[in-house]
Amino acid sequence: MYEEKGNKDKIKIMHVAQAAGGVDRYLRTLLKYLDKEKFENIVVLSQNFKKDDYKDIADTFVSIKMERAIGKHDIEAIRQLRKLIKKYTPDIVYAHSSKAGAIARIANIGMKNYCIYNPHGWAFNMQVAKKKQSLYTFIEKVEAPFCNKIVCISNAEKKSALDKKICSEKKLQVIFNGIDIEAYKQSNEYFIRRENLNIPEDAFVIGMVGRISKQKAPDIFVEAAKKIKEEIKNAYFIIVGGGDMENEIKAYISAHNMQNCFHITGWVENPMEYVKLFDVACLLSRWEGFGLVLPEYMLAGKPIVASKVDAIPDIITSGENGILVEPDNSEEVKNEILKLYENKNFRKKLVMQGLTDVKKFDVKRVAAEHQRMFMDIVNAVSYTHLRAHETLSDL
């Protein structure tokens, strides 16, 4: 735990998160750009987060054990979190992602603060068994009354909430996700080159960044790769990431004799260095809360092929700043990439529009919208208390 730097003049926000990965990235960039003169940030994070990552951006860091799976351990996590809420008395409890949202909203029942929940992509939108989808939907409906506001990271996420009747529309607020454009522009050194990976200089490189798991559809990517290689002899493929389907994907590559034109990085800390090698960038997800890698692709100046699911059409307008394809359709992926390969001017058009559109997804805008939301909340609460006091004075 860092030394506590409490300041009664600041708005005190307790951020709660269980899942690392994308949520970790989101939280770190958000905290980086929140006004430190106005906000005190307490982070209560699971064992999956690294304390040092928050040393310069959080006022207080606390780690408690939170597991992804539902179980008896959740009772202890709720008890510990409730104790921390009583200790730090935050003005706002802000829960990030579904598991932390479930724990925090229960732990916060009866507390005198404002509660915000950001699901970062609804769990019930995942491709899981119907029973699980129903369970996730039920949990969200039951817990919705225990928070004051739900932040949606895309219009698609808001629509899902309304379609499932999770809560009233007035409780929902859309704040589009964003990336750290400033940090990207300041990072000019790139040490990974094609020669480092034995990629021929004249290769047409098609790549994807993401977990090698069912959600990101790496199987569709390799199926498309096989078809593309039959048409584009100098095609080369890169998957930046690792995951539970890695062995399956490698077996497919070997079975189709594509070892000499395929590279899988495994987990890396510097995915954007590999993106620099791409001629075309893909995101073929089966479901997607937002898809932060898409604005990153734009910023890197890459033409994009992405699946038409969930929030992705909020970012990609097909034919303007990228190309949208139906999910689970390797033939369509192949056809669209062939069009890009054959039409350099079309590639350039998509890239130029992407470089313009990416400004909408700057994390500084995300932080500014959050600051307005936090200030509105505190001002509204203060006004309510003031009116209550005036009413009592009149009695």
Side-chain angles (χ1 to χ4, degrees):
M1 184 185 295
Y2 301 140
E3 179 184 354
E4 297 167 26
K5 301 179 236 180
N7 186 326
K8 64 180 181 180
D9 296 325
K10 294 183 180 182
I11 296 171
K12 193 185 295 185
I13 304 166
M14 177 178 283
H15 300 268
V16 185
Q18 178 273 323
V23 173
D24 180 26
R25 213 163 140 214
Y26 181 97
L27 192 51
R28 281 192 280 155
T29 51
L30 174 62
L31 294 179
K32 178 180 175 180
Y33 289 107
L34 284 179
D35 189 338
K36 293 172 177 56
E37 297 298 316
K38 295 179 179 176
F39 303 100
E40 177 185 347
N41 291 292
I42 302 156
V43 294
V44 181
L45 308 176
S46 75
Q47 66 279 9
N48 301 317
F49 291 77
K50 297 177 183 177
K51 180 178 178 180
D52 288 345
D53 289 341
Y54 290 82
K55 190 169 186 180
D56 298 322
I57 54 175
D59 297 281
T60 306
F61 179 101
V62 183
S63 179
I64 66 172
K65 190 173 182 181
M66 288 185 274
E67 302 291 348
R68 184 173 182 176
I70 298 171
K72 291 181 180 179
H73 45 259
D74 293 335
I75 297 171
E76 177 60 19
I78 291 166
R79 188 192 68 79
Q80 287 187 45
L81 182 56
R82 188 171 179 83
K83 187 176 179 181
L84 290 169
I85 294 170
K86 288 180 178 179
K87 176 180 178 181
Y88 291 105
T89 61
D91 299 293
I92 298 168
V93 172
Y94 190 178
H96 298 266
S97 205
S98 55
K99 188 56 184 282
I103 290 170
R105 285 182 286 179
I106 294 172
N108 196 58
I109 290 173
M111 299 294 186
K112 295 181 179 180
N113 57 43
Y114 201 93
C115 183
I116 302 172
Y117 167 50
N118 186 333
H120 293 273
W122 295 110
F124 54 70
N125 280 338
M126 297 190 298
Q127 286 187 8
V128 293
K130 290 290 183 184
K131 283 186 178 180
K132 272 196 172 183
Q133 285 185 345
S134 297
L135 174 62
Y136 295 149
T137 303
F138 175 76
I139 291 171
E140 294 294 355
K141 284 183 178 181
V142 167
E143 293 215 354
F146 301 119
C147 64
N148 304 88
K149 190 175 289 293
I150 296 176
V151 173
C152 300
I153 57 176
S154 70
N155 289 323
E157 192 167 88
K158 179 180 177 180
K159 184 178 183 301
S160 288
L162 295 174
D163 289 346
K164 295 284 188 179
K165 297 180 171 54
I166 299 301
C167 63
S168 66
E169 187 171 3
K170 67 181 181 180
K171 184 171 281 193
L172 300 168
Q173 179 166 342
V174 177
I175 300 179
F176 275 96
N177 223 333
I179 60 171
D180 195 344
I181 293 176
E182 182 179 293
Y184 178 86
K185 289 180 175 178
Q186 290 175 353
S187 179
N188 295 318
E189 293 186 355
Y190 291 92
F191 301 102
I192 298 172
R193 292 176 170 79
R194 291 189 174 197
E195 60 196 53
N196 302 134
L197 305 179
N198 295 317
I199 301 174
E201 282 302 314
D202 67 342
F204 188 75
V205 179
I206 300 133
M208 64 167 272
V209 175
R211 291 188 314 279
I212 305 179
S213 63
K214 181 181 178 181
Q215 180 195 357
K216 303 296 182 180
D219 50 327
I220 299 301
F221 183 80
V222 293
E223 285 176 19
K226 176 182 175 294
K227 296 174 181 180
I228 291 165
K229 189 65 178 175
E230 293 169 359
E231 303 282 345
I232 305 174
K233 299 307 177 186
N234 65 331
Y236 196 97
F237 307 92
I238 300 177
I239 297 179
V240 182
D244 57 10
M245 287 180 67
E246 191 168 339
N247 290 337
E248 177 185 332
I249 297 305
K250 286 180 176 177
Y252 185 96
I253 291 167
S254 297
H256 293 88
N257 298 314
M258 293 195 295
Q259 302 95 316
N260 293 331
C261 64
F262 225 109
H263 183 80
I264 297 177
T265 67
W267 296 112
V268 295
E269 295 289 333
N270 54 343
M272 291 303 289
E273 287 203 34
Y274 292 90
V275 172
K276 280 286 185 181
L277 306 177
F278 296 0
D279 290 296
V280 175
C282 297
L283 182 66
L284 308 178
S285 305
R286 292 183 166 101
W287 67 89
E288 193 64 64
F290 188 80
L292 268 180
V293 75
L294 293 172
E296 289 180 331
Y297 287 161
M298 290 178 182
L299 200 56
K302 304 302 173 182
I304 297 167
V305 175
S307 53
K308 195 190 304 181
V309 296
D310 298 333
I312 292 177
D314 285 342
I315 306 169
I316 301 296
T317 301
S318 198
E320 293 187 17
N321 60 3
I323 296 173
L324 293 176
V325 297
E326 294 298 328
D328 291 321
N329 193 326
S330 61
E331 183 69 18
E332 190 178 3
V333 174
K334 179 207 75 173
N335 291 337
E336 296 300 338
I337 288 177
L338 284 177
K339 288 179 189 176
L340 291 171
Y341 175 73
E342 293 164 357
N343 193 334
K344 188 175 181 179
N345 288 333
F346 184 44
R347 297 204 305 268
K348 186 176 180 181
K349 174 198 167 187
L350 298 181
V351 167
M352 295 306 293
Q353 189 60 49
L355 289 170
T356 298
D357 292 346
V358 74
K359 296 169 188 173
K360 296 184 289 187
F361 304 107
D362 192 335
V363 75
K364 288 184 179 179
R365 187 263 312 149
V366 179
E369 289 187 31
H370 272 86
Q371 288 184 178
R372 284 196 294 272
M373 178 178 68
F374 296 151
M375 295 299 294
D376 287 347
I377 287 166
V378 171
N379 290 337
V381 171
S382 297
Y383 177 77
T384 301
H385 287 171
L386 177 63
R387 292 298 299 145
H389 177 74
E390 290 174 348
T391 301
L392 288 172
S393 298
D394 292 339
L395 295 176

